[in-house]
Amino acid sequence: MVLQVGHLLTASPDGQPRRCAVVGHPIGHSLSPALHRAAYRSVGLDWSYDAVDVRDDDLAGFLDGLDPTWRGLSLTMPLKRVAVPLIDELTERAAQALAVNTLILEDGRRVGHNTDIPGAVAAVTERYTGPLRSAAILGGGATASSVMLALADLGCAEVALVVRDPGRAAETVAAARRHPLRPAVDVRRLGVWSTPVDLLVSTIPARAQSREVVALSEQAAAVFDVVYDVWPTPLASAATATGRPLVAGLDLLVHQAVLQFQLMTGLPDSPFAAMRAAGERALRDRG
């Protein structure tokens, strides 16, 4: 959902500039401040956007301590599922994934959104135009749930969920069952699965992308790596070396962030080009 222009709040009730932030742990790697600050500059908003280190056990207290200047939060790992019981209202997509990556604070209420789902749809369709009948997702966390729902939106009917511990994949499998398409989900243990698919999605850190994991990507026509720190990841390098389509973590970050910007500010459009350029510069600066 996008808020109407008339709901734009340039200042808090006491006249102070609005505050937003990305929260999670660890948080130092996040590019979200670069994207959102660039967006504010582009449209002339005197808002702030910071990165705040918040552990899962501390989220409730952090939320309770926010004053009326706060307008919105971007939630990253490990908070996307932790936040669900702390929220007054979940949008349809957030409830479907049982994962919140965007929290809007308005009139004393907390409304949880999921912009990862439409963001992933936009990221995939921007970079990959081939068939999407089958996919494999590495990892079974909140981001995996959102990407799985995005793939179902695109018509993907068969998904292999490849995890180290199948017992921890239940919430992601349940999310797929809440989608109208109800894609068939086959939970496999990493090291056992090896089947050709149209798209391989990785939600695991770059440090976990072993030779074994990279070898799995050879079974895929295209690769989508949601990680952007560090970049390129081993999976991204393997896809580029073979000329296969690659959906990058920055693609997902930007597409979901433009939706966050709209929800937080109430503006109907986002400065997409400025946000992407800011993300690209920040990655280059990291070397």
Side-chain angles (χ1 to χ4, degrees):
M1 180 185 73
V2 177
L3 302 179
Q4 298 300 312
V5 177
H7 291 167
L8 172 63
L9 300 175
T10 57
S12 59
D14 62 0
Q16 296 299 312
R18 285 286 178 173
R19 301 176 67 187
C20 298
V22 57
V23 296
H25 177 77
I27 202 63
H29 69 283
S30 179
L31 293 180
S32 291
L35 270 60
H36 286 265
R37 290 170 184 170
Y40 297 161
R41 289 193 299 271
S42 180
V43 301
L45 274 182
D46 183 22
W47 287 28
S48 66
Y49 189 103
D50 298 305
V52 184
D53 195 293
V54 178
R55 297 174 183 267
D56 51 1
D57 292 342
D58 299 327
L59 180 60
F62 175 79
L63 294 179
D64 288 342
L66 297 180
D67 64 38
T69 64
W70 286 87
R71 171 59 176 167
L73 298 173
S74 306
L75 304 179
T76 188
M77 66 180 299
L79 304 180
K80 294 181 181 181
R81 284 180 172 153
V82 174
V84 171
L86 305 175
I87 289 174
D88 298 305
E89 178 186 348
L90 292 177
T91 61
E92 180 181 359
R93 298 320 297 266
Q96 199 174 59
L98 272 188
V100 171
N101 79 317
T102 309
L103 181 60
I104 301 300
L105 307 168
E106 186 170 20
D107 298 328
R109 288 176 54 79
R110 304 167 183 170
V111 181
H113 298 257
N114 186 308
T115 65
D116 279 335
I117 300 172
V121 169
V124 171
T125 55
E126 179 186 18
R127 301 294 186 186
Y128 178 61
T129 59
L132 189 48
R133 298 155 300 198
S134 62
I137 300 177
L138 305 181
T143 301
S145 296
S146 297
V147 174
M148 179 178 293
L149 293 171
L151 298 182
D153 284 356
L154 293 170
C156 183
E158 298 181 2
V159 179
L161 191 62
V162 187
V163 293
R164 295 191 183 279
D165 180 5
R168 301 181 65 180
E171 290 183 334
T172 300
V173 174
R177 292 173 181 157
R178 289 189 288 268
H179 192 281
L181 183 62
R182 293 178 63 89
V185 180
D186 183 14
V187 180
R188 296 292 187 92
R189 190 182 298 275
L190 185 63
V192 176
W193 174 85
S194 181
T195 304
V197 291
D198 295 320
L199 180 68
L200 175 75
V201 182
S202 175
T203 68
I204 64 177
R207 64 180 180 276
Q209 295 179 9
S210 62
R211 291 182 181 179
E212 177 185 49
V213 170
V214 172
L216 289 177
S217 73
E218 298 173 0
Q219 302 287 327
V223 172
F224 178 8
D225 196 333
V226 307
V227 172
Y228 59 81
D229 184 69
V230 295
W231 190 262
T233 65
L235 280 170
S237 296
T240 301
T242 56
R244 286 170 294 161
L246 172 64
V247 186
L250 183 60
D251 296 328
L252 172 60
L253 182 69
V254 174
H255 279 291
Q256 66 81 31
V258 299
L259 299 173
Q260 289 183 332
F261 174 86
Q262 292 172 6
L263 288 165
M264 291 175 182
T265 65
L267 293 172
D269 298 303
S270 301
F272 180 88
M275 296 174 80
R276 170 163 273 171
E280 291 172 345
R281 280 195 304 273
L283 276 183
R284 287 197 301 269
D285 291 346
R286 291 180 180 183

